Amino acid sequence: MESPFKSMAMSSDQDTRILACTHDRLSGLPDQVIYHIFSFLGANDTARLGLVSKRFKKLCSSSPYLNFVADFDSGSDHSCLRTRYTDFCSYVDKVLRSREKTGEGLIRLLVHWFCKLRRFDIGGSVVNSWVTVATKCGVEELDMLVHVDSLRGYSFPDCVYKCESLRALKLNLQMGRFSFQILGFDWLKDLWLDSVTIGDKYFGQRISDRCKCLKRLTLENVDGISDLTMTSSSLEELEITDCRFPNSFFDGKFNISCSSLKVLTISRCQFKALWHVNLNCQSLENLTVQDSEFGRFFVCKIDCESLETLEVCGSNFLEACQLLVDCPSLIHAMISSCRFANVCFLNIKSSSLGGLTLSECKFSSPEIGSQYSKPKKEIKVGAGPCRRIIMKAENLEALNVSSSDAYSYEFPLSISAPKLKDLWWTGDPVDFSYLNQGMVSLLNARIHIKPTCRHRSEESDRRCKHSKSLIYCAAKFLQCLSEARFLSINTWPIEIFFMQNDSPIVFKKLQNLVLLTDGSFADQIPTIASFLRGLPNLRRLIIRCEQISHELSDPNLINLLGLNSRSFNLTGVGQDLKNVKIEAVQGQAQSCVQNAGKRR
């Protein structure tokens, strides 16, 4: 009977002969270097390399990296699959028994058994016999992908739990059920569970108690975790991907209290029940939640002394949610591309918070949000609409908001940041009526907001419900900016404000202004002049136009803008007639705008 070792390489006999005829540069390398090269090769590549020479054949059989891959899901008939099944098992047995007799060490054993046909199911006993031999050879890494009976499940033999050399374990049961024994992985440092079903409510606690040296834990495509509580003192990295946390009779709990944990990543997970997440990890530095879904009322409390970066990206909150962050070392927090169907309350307590980014977030329609059950607890954050984003950050210094939802103006955004110094805001307008007016520390503001809806005529645009609903909100927004010293703003919110207001908002501290005109500059000159009347200490004005504007070269431009020509000079006009710079004459800027306003 033909050896499976040779059958795996038959398809590349011609390539092998060509390789054998050329100069063999690998032959001069030490064995340990060649073994290291083998660690990057697949099973079939290693088999082909063994046909190059007798030395390489011996090196392949004695390599500390053994990879066995079998695919029984191809379209061959059953008799052929039976032969392949028997040959493969015999070959693996032969290699491992030979390794056991010689006593040679084993760094990694990889067995990937792709099979969906029950008659060719490898079975737990066969896998365990190979694993047992590997532990006797002092294996350091186990990488197992097998299909087991979902009713019987699978568990490792006792020798795996007692193996002092084992450092890394990766297990993929193709959604089969896995359970721990009473013993623990005392020396294991890296555990990766992929495509397994866990039916143990105390799964997280068992890992914490039994894996005393575990540094990294990866849960990928794991199902059946109804409660996850981790208290490991050695764990440094935790990654949870594509996991489903099902509904349960009691509220689901996700408690991570690992004193050495530094990185926590949750991606593409589903939390269907009422979940309470508590993170109390004093060494945690980076926390990322991305592309996940939270089906019911969601509360997350983060109390991590060393946390520096918090990211919540691409997630869907189908009910009300609370993010309570108490991290004194937090430097930057970002919430981006998320969808909210109810109120989102974000409270950040950090003495080091330098920046908060809220970008590309959207609101689900009321119909979508109403099909889910009401939360058991109400979020009490004061009077106001039940569907809004509320942010509180006492020490926040920089805020970056980017809104892309054309209907976000229907939902208010509340911000309480008394120490805010820098504000960037772009995209669609939101309901600014609930913005805190106490931004007394604001120094710099860069604003470019404009609705994405378009109208065929200017008249229809003025009658738009979208624009009318924002007149009051625009006034509130401009009042929040009134303490700024530098302001870059497009003219759309200014036009909205003066649709029903005659008196300008006074910016007492504003010295530098950059205006970005939307549309025709000639049509906006009266609006700009009205806005400039509220800037008594203006020292520099820059106007940038989207279109070519011949009015910028008008020698009477300063007077057209309502400024005093004796107090301001036209210091530069762009050659493309799209920008102009106007600066105050030194020593005469004070009250020049006020005097111009009186003359008007």
Side-chain angles (χ1 to χ4, degrees):
M1 181 177 296
E2 187 176 346
S3 169
F5 184 89
K6 294 182 179 180
S7 64
M8 285 190 290
M10 287 179 62
S11 61
S12 61
D13 285 344
Q14 185 177 358
D15 296 336
T16 303
R17 287 193 295 269
I18 295 175
L19 180 61
C21 294
T22 59
H23 179 65
D24 185 7
R25 296 183 179 181
L26 294 177
S27 298
L29 297 176
D31 291 354
Q32 295 302 323
V33 176
I34 296 178
Y35 287 151
H36 182 69
I37 295 175
F38 284 176
S39 67
F40 300 99
L41 299 178
N44 293 340
D45 295 330
T46 305
R48 292 166 187 158
L49 191 59
L51 299 178
V52 172
S53 64
K54 291 183 179 180
R55 178 170 181 253
F56 272 83
K57 181 178 181 180
K58 181 179 180 181
L59 288 172
C60 289
S61 60
S62 61
S63 171
Y65 301 94
L66 296 182
N67 302 327
F68 304 106
V69 179
D71 185 357
F72 296 95
D73 291 333
S74 58
S76 304
D77 56 63
H78 285 185
S79 59
C80 180
L81 290 176
R82 172 58 63 182
T83 302
R84 290 171 55 190
Y85 174 89
T86 304
D87 291 349
F88 183 82
C89 291
S90 300
Y91 172 66
V92 177
D93 283 335
K94 179 181 177 181
V95 173
L96 289 176
R97 296 301 177 187
S98 175
R99 181 61 59 89
E100 182 181 10
K101 290 180 180 180
T102 59
E104 295 175 333
L106 187 59
I107 295 179
R108 182 180 66 208
L109 173 63
L110 181 149
V111 178
H112 286 185
W113 183 284
F114 298 94
C115 179
K116 296 180 181 178
L117 299 175
R118 189 167 184 176
R119 65 174 62 190
F120 300 120
D121 194 336
I122 189 172
S125 59
V126 178
V127 176
N128 286 347
S129 65
W130 298 343
V131 170
T132 300
V133 175
T135 58
K136 294 179 180 180
C137 297
V139 66
E140 297 180 13
E141 302 175 19
L142 280 177
D143 187 341
M144 314 297 293
L145 186 155
V146 295
H147 182 272
V148 297
D149 192 320
S150 59
L151 298 178
R152 291 180 299 172
Y154 175 74
S155 60
F156 283 111
D158 292 348
C159 61
V160 176
Y161 297 95
K162 299 177 181 179
C163 183
E164 298 184 9
S165 62
L166 188 62
R167 295 294 181 267
L169 172 61
K170 182 176 181 179
L171 179 64
N172 185 326
L173 297 181
Q174 302 182 62
M175 300 315 301
R177 185 168 51 86
F178 174 70
S179 60
F180 281 109
Q181 297 292 344
I182 299 177
L183 302 175
F185 295 103
D186 291 336
W187 295 273
L188 193 66
K189 293 185 177 181
D190 193 337
L191 176 59
W192 188 329
L193 298 180
D194 184 1
S195 301
V196 301
T197 300
I198 303 294
D200 188 356
K201 181 179 179 180
Y202 304 101
F203 164 75
Q205 193 59 52
R206 294 186 194 280
I207 290 183
S208 302
D209 295 340
R210 299 174 185 178
C211 302
K212 301 296 185 181
C213 299
L214 191 64
K215 299 292 185 181
R216 177 181 174 84
L217 173 62
T218 302
L219 303 177
E220 183 174 353
N221 195 23
V222 176
D223 199 2
I225 301 179
S226 58
D227 188 292
L228 184 62
T229 300
M230 300 285 300
T231 58
S232 172
S233 59
S234 62
L235 190 64
E236 296 181 356
E237 296 183 35
L238 175 58
E239 181 176 351
I240 306 175
T241 305
D242 290 311
C243 294
R244 292 160 295 280
F245 297 86
N247 289 312
S248 58
F249 181 77
F250 298 102
D251 297 345
K253 292 181 176 59
F254 188 102
N255 299 322
I256 308 296
S257 299
C258 302
S259 57
S260 301
L261 189 65
K262 295 181 179 180
V263 180
L264 173 58
T265 303
I266 302 174
S267 61
R268 299 189 300 276
C269 293
Q270 295 181 5
F271 294 81
K272 297 182 179 180
L274 175 60
W275 279 88
H276 295 268
V277 176
N278 294 290
L279 304 178
N280 188 358
C281 309
Q282 300 307 310
S283 300
L284 188 65
E285 298 176 356
N286 294 286
L287 171 60
T288 302
V289 179
Q290 59 186 14
D291 301 326
S292 297
E293 183 175 278
F294 303 90
R296 293 181 61 189
F297 182 69
F298 176 72
V299 178
C300 180
K301 296 181 180 180
I302 305 173
D303 184 3
C304 303
E305 184 177 345
S306 302
L307 185 65
E308 297 179 353
T309 304
L310 169 63
E311 296 184 11
V312 181
C313 310
S315 296
N316 192 6
F317 297 86
L318 303 178
E319 283 292 349
C321 62
Q322 281 187 348
L323 299 177
L324 309 177
V325 183
D326 189 357
C327 306
S329 300
L330 185 65
I331 298 175
H332 185 261
M334 180 175 69
I335 300 178
S336 64
S337 302
C338 293
R339 182 178 292 273
F340 301 95
N342 210 308
V343 61
C344 172
F345 179 51
L346 174 63
N347 190 355
I348 300 178
K349 296 181 180 180
S350 172
S351 57
S352 305
L353 187 61
L356 170 63
T357 300
L358 177 64
S359 65
E360 307 299 326
C361 292
K362 298 184 178 181
F363 292 88
S364 302
S365 65
E367 290 76 12
I368 295 178
S370 62
Q371 61 180 318
Y372 299 94
S373 58
K374 295 183 178 180
K376 295 181 178 180
K377 299 179 181 179
E378 297 293 336
I379 300 181
K380 297 182 179 180
V381 292
C386 64
R387 303 178 67 218
R388 57 171 167 161
I389 297 178
I390 305 170
M391 293 188 296
K392 292 185 178 181
E394 298 297 326
N395 296 301
L396 179 65
E397 295 185 354
L399 174 63
N400 190 334
V401 181
S402 175
S403 52
S404 62
D405 191 349
Y407 298 97
S408 59
Y409 68 93
E410 298 178 350
F411 307 98
L413 173 63
S414 301
I415 299 176
S416 176
K419 296 183 180 180
L420 187 66
K421 296 180 180 180
D422 299 291
L423 174 64
W424 291 264
W425 203 310
T426 61
D428 280 272
V430 300
D431 186 346
F432 301 114
S433 59
Y434 285 86
L435 287 180
N436 192 305
Q437 300 182 24
M439 295 184 183
V440 294
S441 302
L442 188 63
L443 297 178
N444 306 300
R446 293 171 174 84
I447 311 299
H448 195 284
I449 55 175
K450 190 176 182 180
T452 55
C453 61
R454 294 291 182 266
H455 301 279
R456 296 181 179 179
S457 65
E458 181 179 351
E459 183 64 23
S460 60
D461 182 58
R462 289 181 175 274
R463 293 180 179 180
C464 176
K465 178 183 177 182
H466 187 159
S467 298
K468 285 187 175 182
S469 65
L470 282 176
I471 294 176
Y472 174 73
C473 299
K476 289 289 185 180
F477 184 51
L478 292 177
Q479 288 175 359
C480 292
L481 306 177
S482 61
E483 298 294 329
R485 297 183 181 180
F486 170 86
L487 174 63
S488 174
I489 188 171
N490 63 315
T491 55
W492 184 85
I494 298 175
E495 287 183 291
I496 291 297
F497 171 77
F498 283 108
M499 286 177 64
Q500 290 188 358
N501 294 277
D502 296 326
S503 300
I505 296 177
V506 179
F507 290 73
K508 294 182 179 180
K509 299 179 181 180
L510 188 63
Q511 297 181 359
N512 297 280
L513 173 65
V514 178
L515 281 177
L516 310 174
T517 64
D518 302 315
S520 172
F521 172 67
D523 295 338
Q524 297 177 11
I525 289 179
T527 301
I528 295 176
S530 299
F531 181 71
L532 294 178
R533 285 186 301 165
L535 281 57
N537 295 303
L538 183 65
R539 305 188 65 86
R540 180 182 291 107
L541 169 64
I542 297 176
I543 301 177
R544 295 173 182 168
C545 304
E546 292 181 347
Q547 308 169 0
I548 296 177
S549 303
H550 296 282
E551 292 79 8
L552 297 181
S553 60
D554 189 335
N556 196 37
L557 177 62
I558 293 180
N559 291 327
L560 291 175
L561 295 175
L563 301 175
N564 190 335
S565 58
R566 290 179 298 179
S567 301
F568 285 90
N569 288 330
L570 190 65
T571 58
V573 179
Q575 294 182 355
D576 57 357
L577 295 180
K578 288 187 177 181
N579 60 83
V580 66
K581 180 187 291 186
I582 300 175
E583 293 184 304
V585 177
Q586 190 171 3
Q588 298 186 25
Q590 187 73 21
S591 73
C592 58
V593 180
Q594 288 180 325
N595 294 335
K598 293 179 180 179
R599 289 195 298 273
R600 290 170 59 88

